[in-house]
Amino acid sequence: MHVYTDLLQKIGNNLRKSGDPYSDEANPKEILFIPKIITKSINVMQKASLIEGEENSYIVIDALRHPYEIRYLNRETSNFFHNSHKYYRQ
């Protein structure tokens, strides 16, 4: 893997585990850190779209890893659609 890919994967894993990009110590209170940030970001983007006069906004979220992230977003975000693809290397 590329060095940046490894680094970003580690940061994402740490955020999912602890809520801190520099710590891999488990913190159960932060297990939904990433979907909470995503939800806040979606709300900001939707409000910005309304201010700009756009009726619809479409947001794509890539690489949700944990089933609880998907469940949280499904519960907290209106019109959330989940699409899954599995990639097989040959």
Side-chain angles (χ1 to χ4, degrees):
M1 271 193 190
H2 194 274
V3 67
Y4 293 116
T5 304
D6 291 340
L7 176 64
L8 292 174
Q9 186 65 54
K10 182 160 180 64
I11 289 170
N13 290 343
N14 287 350
L15 286 171
R16 284 181 172 92
K17 194 172 185 180
S18 68
D20 180 348
Y22 305 109
S23 173
D24 65 352
E25 188 173 320
N27 181 352
K29 292 181 181 180
E30 296 296 338
I31 194 166
L32 295 173
F33 178 82
I34 288 179
K36 286 179 180 179
I37 294 296
I38 291 170
T39 301
K40 289 178 186 177
S41 300
I42 289 170
N43 291 336
V44 168
M45 287 185 267
Q46 287 175 332
K47 287 178 184 174
S49 292
L50 289 174
I51 290 169
E52 293 175 3
E54 297 175 10
E55 290 184 28
N56 297 315
S57 56
Y58 300 95
I59 301 164
V60 176
I61 304 162
D62 183 34
L64 294 172
R65 301 282 185 233
H66 197 282
Y68 289 118
E69 293 175 349
I70 296 166
R71 185 178 292 168
Y72 179 88
L73 289 168
N74 194 32
R75 191 182 71 226
E76 297 294 323
T77 306
S78 64
N79 294 322
F80 176 78
F81 300 96
H82 176 244
N83 188 358
S84 173
H85 295 278
K86 193 161 191 162
Y87 173 73
Y88 295 99
R89 293 180 189 213
Q90 295 183 7

